[in-house]
Amino acid sequence: QTPETDSLLDTKTKIILESAKKRLLENITSEQYTSPNVNFIVPEIIDKSNTLCILIISITTDSSELELGVDESYELTIPESQIDSDPITAHLKAKTIFGVLHGLNTFSQLLYYKNSKSLLPFAPHQINDFPRFSHRGLLLDTARNYFPVKNILKTLDIMSWNKFNVFHWHIVDATSWPVVSESFPELSNKGSYDPKRMIYTKESIKEVIEYANL
């Protein structure tokens, strides 16, 4: 992340960016799937000449409001191995934080795990990407099929990996009413599938909304 970019970002954008960087590091260290259909040779020597050391993130605007038609494009450049002494540096450029989020997801998906190492075996990469459709959504109907909050958060993660941008939470209906109301507690007491285990409190709903905004 470039210092000059960081100074231009508003607080919300900085929070979203820090959360995205944290998720990226978690994905790199936890996702260790090795595809049986992808073959490449792991270098015998891992040093500065073939190690990506820096990813510079540049954002040209500080807009952190996700609206229909917002610019979600990004440009990701990852160089190949080099023989000079300079560390290998990748660049991610976007107009908005949402382009950066998509670019970081793409970056993590270019990694392959082999011999206890996260590798970029097919560099260099030059990717200029933008969504074809401005509305890319998923509807989750928890009125008819209850989802625990942890599963909803995992669904949001998967949506992010696939660059979705709209989450429609159909939380209540005539089938069930899992939302706990402070004004009308009988709605969930009598309307949910299980008033003790299959409900959404105000705190859990807030958790989902805040997680989705990151």
Side-chain angles (χ1 to χ4, degrees):
Q1 181 182 355
T2 56
E4 59 269 24
T5 299
D6 184 60
S7 63
L8 298 174
L9 302 181
D10 60 21
T11 301
K12 184 177 179 181
T13 302
K14 289 181 181 179
I15 293 173
I16 295 174
L17 180 58
E18 289 304 314
S19 177
K21 288 159 60 177
K22 180 181 178 182
R23 289 197 302 273
L24 173 66
L25 293 176
E26 290 175 350
N27 289 341
I28 291 175
T29 56
S30 64
E31 296 295 330
Q32 300 181 354
Y33 171 72
T34 302
S35 173
N37 300 317
V38 178
N39 296 311
F40 56 88
I41 299 175
V42 178
E44 294 183 2
I45 300 176
I46 304 294
D47 57 23
K48 187 183 293 186
S49 68
N50 58 12
T51 300
L52 178 62
C53 300
I54 302 171
L55 173 61
I56 296 179
I57 301 172
S58 301
I59 309 175
T60 56
T61 65
D62 64 352
S63 174
S64 57
E65 296 300 324
L66 181 58
E67 301 173 331
L68 189 65
V70 70
D71 193 314
E72 299 177 67
S73 63
Y74 65 91
E75 177 183 336
L76 178 62
T77 305
I78 303 175
E80 59 185 339
S81 300
Q82 55 193 37
I83 58 175
D84 57 35
S85 59
D86 294 332
I88 299 178
T89 301
H91 293 267
L92 173 58
K93 301 178 182 179
K95 291 184 178 180
T96 67
I97 184 62
F98 307 107
V100 168
L101 297 180
H102 299 328
L104 289 176
N105 279 322
T106 296
F107 176 79
S108 68
Q109 291 160 2
L110 293 172
L111 294 169
Y112 289 86
Y113 187 82
K114 193 171 184 179
N115 295 359
S116 302
K117 296 179 177 64
S118 294
L119 305 167
L120 286 161
F122 304 112
H125 297 284
Q126 177 64 48
I127 299 173
N128 293 276
D129 189 23
F130 61 91
R132 181 179 180 184
F133 302 104
S134 57
H135 185 291
R136 306 176 307 284
L138 180 141
L139 183 150
L140 184 63
D141 186 347
T142 58
R144 292 170 176 81
N145 299 280
Y146 179 83
F147 269 56
V149 170
K150 65 177 182 179
N151 290 4
I152 297 177
L153 300 184
K154 187 63 176 178
T155 299
L156 292 171
D157 285 337
I158 295 171
M159 289 178 63
S160 175
W161 297 338
N162 289 279
K163 302 180 176 67
F164 281 49
N165 64 351
V166 177
F167 177 58
H168 181 168
W169 189 3
H170 191 74
I171 192 170
V172 297
D173 209 314
T175 311
S176 76
W177 191 285
V179 175
V180 176
S181 170
E182 295 177 353
S183 301
F184 304 98
E186 289 299 292
L187 284 172
S188 58
N189 286 339
K190 296 182 178 180
S192 64
Y193 291 131
D194 186 322
K196 292 184 177 180
R197 297 185 301 111
M198 304 176 75
I199 56 173
Y200 301 113
T201 63
K202 180 172 64 176
E203 290 73 22
S204 61
I205 294 172
K206 182 180 179 181
E207 179 184 3
V208 171
I209 293 173
E210 290 181 348
Y211 194 84
N213 284 329
L214 295 177

